[in-house]
Amino acid sequence: MGFRSAQMAEADLMGGNDAEETQQWRAQLLGSLVFSLPTFVIAMILPETPLRDALHTTVVPGLSVGVLVLWLLSTPVQFVFGMQFYKRAFKAVSHGNANMDVLVALSTTVAYFYSAFFTGLRMLHCQGIYLFRRHNHQLLLLHACADGDDCQLEDSSLHSCTDIAILDVCFEVSTMLISFMLLGKYLEASAKGKASEAVMKLMALQPPSAMLCVDWPVNKEPPKEVLVAELRSGDVLQVLPGSVVPADGVVVRGESAVDESMLTGEAVPVSKQVEDSVVGGSYNGPGPLWICVTAVGANSALSKIMSLVA
C-alpha cells in the first residue's frame, strides 16, 4: 500500500465527502428558497401593487393576512433550514468561540422573535381595546334600556382596531438572511469539491516508482527502481528526460527545464540547475536531473495542498 496509496484513499474519501456535503447544502438551499422567495415577494413587492388591500384583510383583531402568511412562511426557514446554524453556533459558543454561525443565529433569532413579539403584542392590544369597548357598549345598552330607548343599540367600532402593517415586522429579514447564508455555504462546498478534484488529479500525477541512486556518488552502478513510498529524505534520485519528478527535492547534478504548470499554472517550463528546488509531480524537460529528496509523505508540497483543501 504505502503512503501514496493512503494519500489516494484519503483524496478519494475527501472528494466523496465534499460531493455529499455539496448536495446537502444544495438541498437545504432549494428548500429554503421555496419559503423565502414568496416571503420576499409578499413583504417587498405586493404592498406596492393593488393586492395590498387583500394583504391588509383582518384575520383576527391586530393580525392581517399578510403578516400571518409571512409568519407561517418564515417559521420553517428559521427552525428547520436554519437549525444547522443553531447547532454550529452552540458548538462554537461551548468552546468559547464566536464564529459566523453565532452571528447568523443571533441576528435571525432577533429578527424573527422581534416580529413575533410585536405581532402578539398588537393582537393583545387590540383584544384589550375590544374588551374595553364591549364593556362600554354594554353600559350604553343598560342605560338605553333603563330610559326606555331601543335596546338594540349597535356599535360599529366595536371590532375596529388597526392591524399591524407588513412593514412593521421583519420576518423576511431572517428568512432571506438564512437563504443567503445557505447559498454561500453551497458555493463554498462546491468550490471545495472542485479543489479536492484538482488535488486528486495532482496526486495521480505522481509516479508509483522512482530511480534510486544507491550510495551516490560513490556507487557507480545504475540506479535501481524503488517504490515512491519507500523513499526517505536524503535519497538521491535520477530523473530521466520526459519523466515525472517523483518527490520534492533539490537538484544536485544536471540541468533541465521543468514544467510546473500543474502547481503554478505557468505554461512555460522553468529552468533548473544545481541547488534549485523541484516539486514532485512536475514534468522534467530535455535533460536528466539528479535530485536529493527533501520532503516525502505528509511533508511534500502536494500533501500539504491536500491538507489545506481538506
Side-chain angles (χ1 to χ4, degrees), residues 108 178 208 230 304:
T108 57
I178 289 176
E230 298 176 359
K304 291 180 179 178

Side-chain angles (χ1 to χ4, degrees), residues 226-238:
V226 298
L227 296 177
V228 172
E230 298 176 359
L231 296 178
R232 299 292 182 268
S233 295
D235 289 343
V236 176
L237 309 176
Q238 182 183 22

